[in-house]
Amino acid sequence: ELKRLGRGYFLFYRKELASRQRRRMDLAFDVLSAGDNNELRLAYQPVVSVKDGRVESLEALLRWSHPRFGNVPPEEFIPLVEESAAINTLGAWVLNRACSDAMRWQAGEGRLPGVAVNVSVIQLRDPLFVQRVADILSQTGLPPSRLDLEVTETVFEPDNAERISLSLAALSAMGIHIHVDDFGTGYSSLSRLHALPIDAIKIDRSFVAGLDTGATAIIEGAILIARRFGLTTIAEGVETLSQAAALHRLGVDRLQGYFICHPQAAARLMPVAPDWLELPGSLLVGAPQEN
Ligand code: C2E
Ligand code: MG
Ligand code: MG
Ligand code: MG
């Protein structure tokens, strides 16, 4: 009896494993033609200034609508693509599209918002990456100062040091802003944070969620470090008014999250950037509350 159950379970497990493996293989293969097949698009999520509610930039988030699997989240397919050189092609597609979209945004008044593009550490290791970015900027006409590249803390890992600091230095010298994404979740080295040309840190949304239980220490620490190094602070994953108010009180510079605005299709943004956004008044006016 047990033996039969065991074997049944084993068969089920093998089938499950096989179909998961199958999906991974299909996705890794199909993504190569996804761009040409019109299955990829970018959604944009604003990052706003706490000071005045201005849209500082819009982050491009990759969306893939697979003909059989439907919407596949980037957290599932990006790691698959990172296992091959395909990430370089996909990354170039994203950059190209994001920069040309950003060229179509119109400002009511004041500065145009920048566009933030997520970049894999594999792309940064590619010796051709910097030139590719320069080419895309000149082809689309986007000023480098309107481009933010979001990198993760993997750029701080010692085995990446050489190549990556060269690339980041070149990109920064062009006037592009370098932002560290998901700050606090990975390998952080204060000396590297200081040595590399970093402009901003994006405090990971897990710490923002922690505010609900009064866990402020990590965010306070991150803000302190950022101030000392002259970096801008951005909080990601802000979902509630109370989180936004707490971040405001702690002195974060910029906010991003569902509370402010969900990621939107590019077409919906065009006529409205940068001042369509309505922030709750409590965030816009007055000095930070005392606590
Ligand atoms: P990320 O760069 O940290 O982007 C933030 C993710 O959080 C996005 O998920 C966004 O939709 C989601 N998000 C935004 N506001 C909130 C909120 O208030 N609450 C919660 N729970 N989530 C929120 P998405 O679009 O699924 O992207 C996931 C990750 O995939 C990104 O994390 C980024 O690491 C990666 N990714 C997305 N697009 C690209 C790309 O073009 N290239 C590369 N290399 N990676 C990308
Ligand atoms: Mg990001
Ligand atoms: Mg992020
Ligand atoms: Mg994140």
Side-chain angles (χ1 to χ4, degrees):
E1 198 57 44
L2 257 178
K3 204 174 157 193
R4 254 184 47 216
L5 195 73
R7 196 184 306 144
Y9 177 76
F10 181 66
L11 277 176
F12 171 75
Y13 181 74
R14 280 237 324 225
K15 249 176 144 171
E16 170 89 296
L17 200 72
S19 85
R20 274 224 313 266
Q21 190 59 27
R22 176 82 233 175
R23 178 178 160 111
R24 282 168 55 90
M25 280 168 58
D26 285 352
L27 291 178
F29 180 76
D30 294 346
V31 77
L32 301 174
S33 51
D36 292 337
N37 293 346
N38 261 324
E39 294 161 16
L40 297 178
R41 56 183 190 83
L42 295 177
Y44 289 95
Q45 188 180 33
V47 174
V48 301
S49 163
V50 171
K51 196 171 48 157
D52 53 12
R54 218 182 76 85
V55 178
E56 298 284 349
S57 61
L58 293 138
E59 179 177 7
L61 295 161
L62 191 53
R63 298 289 176 258
W64 181 12
S65 168
H66 188 278
R68 272 181 302 130
F69 299 127
N71 292 333
V72 186
E75 260 145 2
E76 182 178 5
F77 70 86
I78 298 277
L80 298 177
V81 185
E82 283 178 332
E83 286 170 18
S84 75
I87 186 67
N88 294 316
T89 318
L90 186 69
W93 184 92
V94 172
L95 255 171
N96 216 328
R97 178 61 63 87
C99 293
S100 27
D101 282 349
M103 283 300 286
R104 287 198 294 268
W105 297 340
Q106 290 162 26
E109 52 188 63
R111 264 185 307 154
L112 282 160
V115 64
V117 175
N118 292 286
V119 169
S120 157
V121 72
I122 319 239
Q123 289 173 272
L124 283 172
R125 277 196 217 116
D126 178 359
L128 300 176
F129 180 69
V130 173
Q131 188 55 48
R132 196 173 284 143
V133 175
D135 290 345
I136 290 172
L137 288 173
S138 72
Q139 279 155 23
T140 57
L142 189 78
S145 61
R146 286 188 60 205
L147 179 62
D148 305 333
L149 294 181
E150 295 194 2
V151 301
T152 60
E153 285 167 302
T154 44
V155 301
F156 298 136
E157 284 167 19
D159 48 315
N160 287 326
E162 197 70 33
R163 177 78 250 161
I164 283 175
S165 63
L166 283 174
S167 297
L168 292 181
L171 294 162
S172 178
M174 287 162 61
I176 293 166
H177 304 124
I178 310 295
H179 294 188
V180 179
D181 209 347
D182 305 330
F183 185 79
T185 58
Y187 180 102
S188 258
S189 148
L190 291 185
S191 64
R192 301 297 296 151
L193 188 62
H194 194 46
L196 293 171
I198 308 291
D199 296 287
I201 54 173
K202 294 189 80 173
I203 298 166
D204 189 65
R205 74 163 182 259
S206 58
F207 305 118
V208 172
L211 289 172
D212 297 340
T213 56
T216 58
I218 291 175
I219 296 184
E220 285 175 284
I223 292 172
L224 214 64
I225 291 163
R227 288 228 178 99
R228 284 289 161 85
F229 291 166
L231 310 177
T232 298
T233 48
I234 304 168
E236 66 171 24
V238 183
E239 292 184 350
T240 65
L241 175 62
S242 74
Q243 289 171 353
L247 290 160
H248 182 214
R249 198 176 58 237
L250 292 171
V252 162
D253 298 310
R254 301 178 188 175
L255 304 177
Q256 182 185 35
Y258 296 161
F259 173 66
I260 319 287
C261 188
H262 280 256
Q264 308 280 323
R268 292 189 55 183
L269 288 171
M270 266 171 238
V272 287
D275 49 13
W276 86 103
L277 198 101
E278 287 192 345
L279 271 182
S282 61
L283 270 179
L284 290 174
V285 285
Q289 290 168 248
E290 299 293 322
N291 68 334

